[in-house]
Amino acid sequence: MHIVIGLITAIAGLVWALHSLQRAGLDLNAFNPFTWLHRRQWARKQAAHLGLTVKEAKDIAALALLHTARLKGELTRETKAELLGIYQNTFKTDEREARDLFDASAFKLRDDQFHRHSQAFAQAQWKTLDQAQAQQILGQIERVAQLEGPATAPQQAWITQLTAKPATAPQSGW
């Protein structure tokens, strides 16, 4: 009987100590491995560049086209109009949808730091396109690179990066 009373007293003391520590400001969830894993996944998701979060083929292609144009410098009105035309013709969208796609891509590339993540983009997102989509967009990317003169060295490096990673996804449409 004295062992049971000692055990109950030890458990009550432990609960009281944990309660006192929690009231003093110690977060007991810091010791929970599931909470730690959830926080870590959330922090990784928040720290990821927006360009690496795209999933749809249309968004991937639009992002690659806009990044190619931006590698030459600030976009001119003619370049923007050409990109909107490419979006309309390639993705079979109307003018409003093409403008929305352009705006969404511009928002994802707003910090001009996408070049740091271009390798990850080529490995993760670009290879989700099927062969036909990738070849069609690569042709458009080369066209965008040649818009205002010959392609620059960063543009050539970007195109080489994309062609080195062949698309492997099954065929689908836009």
Side-chain angles (χ1 to χ4, degrees), residues 85-96:
I86 290 171
Y87 291 172
Q88 286 177 353
N89 295 333
T90 304
F91 307 133
K92 310 292 188 262
T93 62
D94 61 1
E95 185 178 346
R96 186 188 60 77

Side-chain angles (χ1 to χ4, degrees), residues 67-74 144-152 155:
H67 179 62
T68 304
R70 282 203 170 166
L71 283 174
K72 197 170 271 189
E74 286 297 317
V144 167
Q146 302 290 331
L147 278 179
E148 296 176 2
T152 62
Q155 286 177 322

Side-chain angles (χ1 to χ4, degrees), residues 61 64-69 72 82-83 86 126 134-152 155-164:
L65 286 164
L66 183 60
H67 179 62
T68 304
K72 197 170 271 189
E82 185 70 28
L83 280 172
I86 290 171
W126 183 257
Q135 291 305 316
Q136 183 181 12
I137 295 304
L138 278 173
Q140 298 298 340
I141 286 174
E142 291 171 358
R143 180 174 153 202
V144 167
Q146 302 290 331
L147 278 179
E148 296 176 2
T152 62
Q155 286 177 322
Q156 288 295 338
W158 169 243
I159 292 170
T160 303
Q161 209 172 33
L162 293 179
T163 55

Side-chain angles (χ1 to χ4, degrees), residues 42-110:
W42 180 256
R44 284 181 140 181
K45 184 177 179 183
Q46 293 295 68
H49 190 275
L50 287 175
L52 300 177
T53 61
V54 293
K55 300 288 184 220
E56 292 186 30
K58 236 188 244 189
D59 295 331
I60 293 168
L63 198 67
L65 286 164
L66 183 60
H67 179 62
T68 304
R70 282 203 170 166
L71 283 174
K72 197 170 271 189
E74 286 297 317
L75 294 182
T76 62
R77 186 176 356 171
E78 293 81 18
T79 304
K80 183 177 177 182
E82 185 70 28
L83 280 172
L84 289 173
I86 290 171
Y87 291 172
Q88 286 177 353
N89 295 333
T90 304
F91 307 133
K92 310 292 188 262
T93 62
D94 61 1
E95 185 178 346
R96 186 188 60 77
E97 289 176 12
R99 188 167 301 280
D100 288 345
L101 190 58
F102 179 85
D103 290 341
S105 298
F107 178 77
K108 290 175 181 143
L109 296 177
R110 73 186 182 281

